Amino acid sequence: MLTHHLLFTVSCLLGCSAESYVIDDRIGLGREFDGIGGLSGGGATSRLLVNYEEPYRSHILDFLFKPNFGASLHILKVEIGGDAQTTDGTEPSHMHSKDEGNFFRGYEWWLMKEAKKRNPNIKLIGLPWAFPGWVGEGTQWPYFFPNVTADYVVTWIYGAKQHHNLEIDYIGIWNERKYDPVYIKVLRDTLDRVGYTNVGIIAADGDWSIAAAMLEDPYLNDAVEVIGVHYPGTKTVKEALLTEKKLWSSEDYSTFNDDIGAGCWARILNQNYVNGRMTSTISWNLIASYYENLSFGGDGLMTADEPWSGHYVVESPIWMTAHTTQFTQPGWFYLQTVGNLTHGGSYVALTDRKGNLTVVIQTMTHNHSQCIRPPLPHFDVSPQIATFQLKGSFAHLTDLQVWYSKLDFETKKDTLFQRSSPIKVYNGSFTLKLDVDEVYTITTLNTGQKGTYPESPKSRPFPKNYSDDFTIDNPPFSEAPYFADQTGVFEYFRNSTDNGSHAFTLRQVVTEQPVTWARDADQTISIIGDYSWTDLNVSCDVLIETPVTGGVFLAARVDQGGESVREAKGVFYWIYANGTYKVTNDIGGQRVLAEGLSGTREGVWYTLTLRVKGYFATGMLDGYPLWKNAVVLEPKNGWTALGTLSFEYAQFDHFEVHAE
Ligand SMILES: *[C@@H]1O[C@H](CO)[C@@H](O)[C@H](O)[C@H]1NC(C)=O
Ligand SMILES: *[C@@H]1O[C@H](CO)[C@@H](O)[C@H](O)[C@H]1NC(C)=O
Ligand SMILES: *[C@@H]1O[C@H](CO)[C@@H](O)[C@H](O)[C@H]1NC(C)=O
Ligand SMILES: *[C@@H]1O[C@H](CO)[C@@H](O)[C@H](O)[C@H]1NC(C)=O
Ligand SMILES: *[C@@H]1O[C@H](CO)[C@@H](O)[C@H](O)[C@H]1NC(C)=O
Ligand SMILES: *[C@@H]1O[C@H](CO)[C@@H](O)[C@H](O)[C@H]1NC(C)=O
Ligand SMILES: *[C@@H]1O[C@H](CO)[C@@H](O)[C@H](O)[C@H]1NC(C)=O
Ligand SMILES: *[C@@H]1O[C@H](CO)[C@@H](O)[C@H](O)[C@H]1NC(C)=O
Ligand SMILES: *[C@@H]1O[C@H](CO)[C@@H](O)[C@H](O)[C@H]1NC(C)=O
Ligand SMILES: *[C@@H]1O[C@H](CO)[C@@H](O)[C@H](O)[C@H]1NC(C)=O
Ligand SMILES: *[C@@H]1O[C@H](CO)[C@@H](O)[C@H](O)[C@H]1NC(C)=O
């Protein structure tokens, strides 16, 4: 039990002075609290989580969602997959084309159900980053026909209820892209017409500019329930306050999940309300479950990017979250008595209006709490003594529970979310001796738990020998384990008229360029393996489906994915339906290392084998050498990958890799 930091009487030694803060509800309450959340997607950030074996997968989900256990999140925000690259991969759309719908693709449905299983009250939000090409009618503008886009989005909400019994609470517009007031009104109207009057619109998931527009346009103002802003640096703007709408930091954090990430997160969870009156903060991302060498590797609240080993790490941001989430709920209210501490740091106080009180105090220093963006203006924090006087409904409280964290950057021995001896309140006040880089929760709630599981298995690299023949009946997920789509969508495919060895395959299914969010490649590509791989043999059966112009590739040493997938270099072995092959050093096919005749065409299965060793690469077609010793100077390492020449159907089977 920790008692050293609790002073039960104010005994100020020479030079010290106790500052006094009042916690009072007699002057009325502040804003309603809407919860702390995590964002899965934007994109493909939970890709590897689904491939964890039990019990590890359930353990991880418990650390995220289980009440009184870990992060105990109040909100889960997910990407509405749009078949396009959205930072660390692509997520599949529920409607690849206008005439079809499938509500079992990807992993967001599954994740929402797992979250609800643990916390039936968790709020769900959906937001598109990208859209299938047909939604833009061939343009890059999803508002071209606002009704088409609204119907598409509302179909996703419908599918959630119909197929998964999930009720979506909030829906967004288009992530970090221009909003269109006409579209927002059409979306509101479409939602209302089909009875989704309870689904609130969050807009516009970018900067604050929509606030001024809402003040000018009462219909727009009516349509929007929540102003959602990204990376606000804890500050708001006058116009936003004037709308009197709920203000949320609907995407924030995005910082590597070490102790500085934890400091960032603890600081903004308080300051977003203290400075910006924002009543919800949502972390991008929920969990770092994507290959760590993709962009923003390790930026989740915790890390689980090794499903092949079962290894995961509950990082300190999980426990910073718990300080607020385990002792508040959406529907509680902030008090008006919140603010900065005299010697740096801040406190917020919340109540359920039934007599419970939770106070969260943080003293993160500037250097130890910088988020990835925006730049943090300088401020000072020093050790201090703070007295809190409880008034109004809280004047009579006699005992308060204490939860304590300290990020110790000197000894590296953190204290994380530790329960301390309860505080005795004397004459309506209590006093804390606050050091720097600490978080305290002082609460009437007797609940709260630092959940634990046996340590996860040891970290191991991706297996050097790996194969998949994609033969599985009723796969639980549409994607094959560990394949991480970077442009296009690769799904399990069952060919019911084929009884042979290609009855079950992996198929690329995006056939037109999506309305993109990032700079997708013109080719489709799915990566797999270990980024440090250099020398290896990889083989795969491939089927080109498009006559004349079709083509597929198998690749090694692929050095980029995510938003820079267009610039990916590596060794790309292509065969084309026109009877030729190429070996290129880049996905764009500009740097040709070898080329010639292959006799390949559409509708025929071929086995491609690619062998890279040192500076040389060799390719085989159906077991016979087709080209030899192409010289590969760069890159030295990277993932293996497969893909297609354009947005076209193609199939893959019997994938096999042996790395050295
Ligand atoms: C589009 O949606 C709006 C609002 O729901 C509706 O008033 C309008 O008739 C629709 N237009 C078309 C072309 O369907
Ligand atoms: C609290 O302190 C921070 C850091 O100095 C400052 O940016 C912010 O404006 C202060 N907030 C209030 C409400 O005074
Ligand atoms: C506080 O919350 C607990 C748990 O929700 C509840 O049982 C209790 O009635 C609330 N009020 C007080 C004053 O403790
Ligand atoms: C904060 O970091 C800067 C740059 O690394 C360094 O110069 C400064 O001394 C640090 N300040 C403290 C208080 O550690
Ligand atoms: C109790 O607190 C009040 C003000 O909050 C103060 O006036 C009074 O002197 C205190 N009593 C004792 C015994 O400390
Ligand atoms: C990997 O596969 C190669 C060739 O099939 C085999 O010789 C080797 O023993 C395998 N290594 C492991 C670790 O299974
Ligand atoms: C599949 O198998 C059935 C029964 O063995 C046979 O009748 C049918 O012709 C086969 N179809 C193909 C495409 O080989
Ligand atoms: C399915 O298999 C049949 C029989 O092998 C073949 O003719 C057909 O092209 C295949 N369909 C697709 C989409 O691959
Ligand atoms: C992959 O990322 C990790 C973590 O950022 C880094 O330590 C490692 O060096 C990277 N691997 C390569 C081969 O660049
Ligand atoms: C075959 O197709 C590839 C890919 O489009 C192209 O680069 C090549 O020039 C074509 N070759 C012939 C002979 O048409
Ligand atoms: C790759 O294939 C060659 C030729 O079969 C073989 O000598 C080599 O050991 C293989 N390398 C790996 C890593 O399996």
Side-chain angles (χ1 to χ4, degrees), residues 206-228:
D207 62 20
W208 288 110
S209 64
I210 195 170
M214 286 165 65
L215 293 175
E216 301 271 298
D217 179 344
Y219 297 101
L220 178 64
N221 191 64
D222 282 351
V224 174
E225 183 165 328
V226 175
I227 299 181

Side-chain angles (χ1 to χ4, degrees), residues 102-282:
N102 178 326
F103 300 91
F104 296 91
R105 293 190 181 119
Y107 33 83
E108 304 296 4
W109 307 111
W110 166 81
L111 188 63
M112 287 190 278
K113 283 189 286 191
E114 293 295 327
K116 277 273 178 195
K117 243 190 241 172
R118 289 165 174 80
N119 175 6
N121 296 322
I122 198 166
K123 302 279 183 218
L124 300 176
I125 306 176
L127 173 66
W129 268 245
F131 301 86
W134 64 268
V135 173
E137 306 265 349
T139 72
Q140 284 291 309
W141 193 238
Y143 312 133
F144 202 71
F145 290 111
N147 299 48
V148 170
T149 308
D151 286 346
Y152 167 77
V153 166
V154 170
T155 301
W156 184 85
I157 299 173
Y158 169 85
K161 178 69 189 167
Q162 201 67 16
H163 298 283
H164 303 285
N165 199 27
L166 291 167
E167 300 201 3
I168 303 301
D169 298 286
Y170 298 94
I171 197 83
I173 307 303
W174 188 16
N175 184 67
E176 292 175 5
R177 292 292 175 268
K178 215 170 142 52
Y179 66 88
D180 175 11
V182 174
Y183 171 68
I184 293 174
K185 290 177 225 173
V186 169
L187 177 60
R188 181 67 268 162
D189 221 64
T190 309
L191 288 165
D192 291 346
R193 265 192 293 113
V194 296
Y196 296 143
T197 49
N198 292 335
V199 179
I201 292 182
I202 303 176
D205 282 298
D207 62 20
W208 288 110
S209 64
I210 195 170
M214 286 165 65
L215 293 175
E216 301 271 298
D217 179 344
Y219 297 101
L220 178 64
N221 191 64
D222 282 351
V224 174
E225 183 165 328
V226 175
I227 299 181
V229 69
H230 289 193
Y231 306 95
T234 79
K235 304 283 170 97
T236 188
V237 298
K238 188 178 77 234
E239 291 80 4
L241 293 168
L242 284 174
T243 64
E244 295 180 359
K245 293 282 178 176
K246 286 180 178 295
L247 312 179
W248 289 9
S249 181
S250 50
E251 186 183 318
D252 215 325
Y253 175 62
S254 190
T255 302
F256 186 72
N257 61 25
D258 59 8
D259 278 359
I260 291 191
C264 150
W265 185 233
R267 179 175 55 78
I268 65 179
L269 286 183
N270 265 21
Q271 297 299 59
N272 277 343
Y273 188 74
V274 169
N275 297 332
R277 292 296 179 262
M278 286 169 274
T279 53
S280 170
T281 298
I282 298 175

Side-chain angles (χ1 to χ4, degrees), residues 55 114-115 212 483 639 645 649:
E114 293 295 327
F483 278 94
W639 300 287
L645 179 59
Y649 285 121

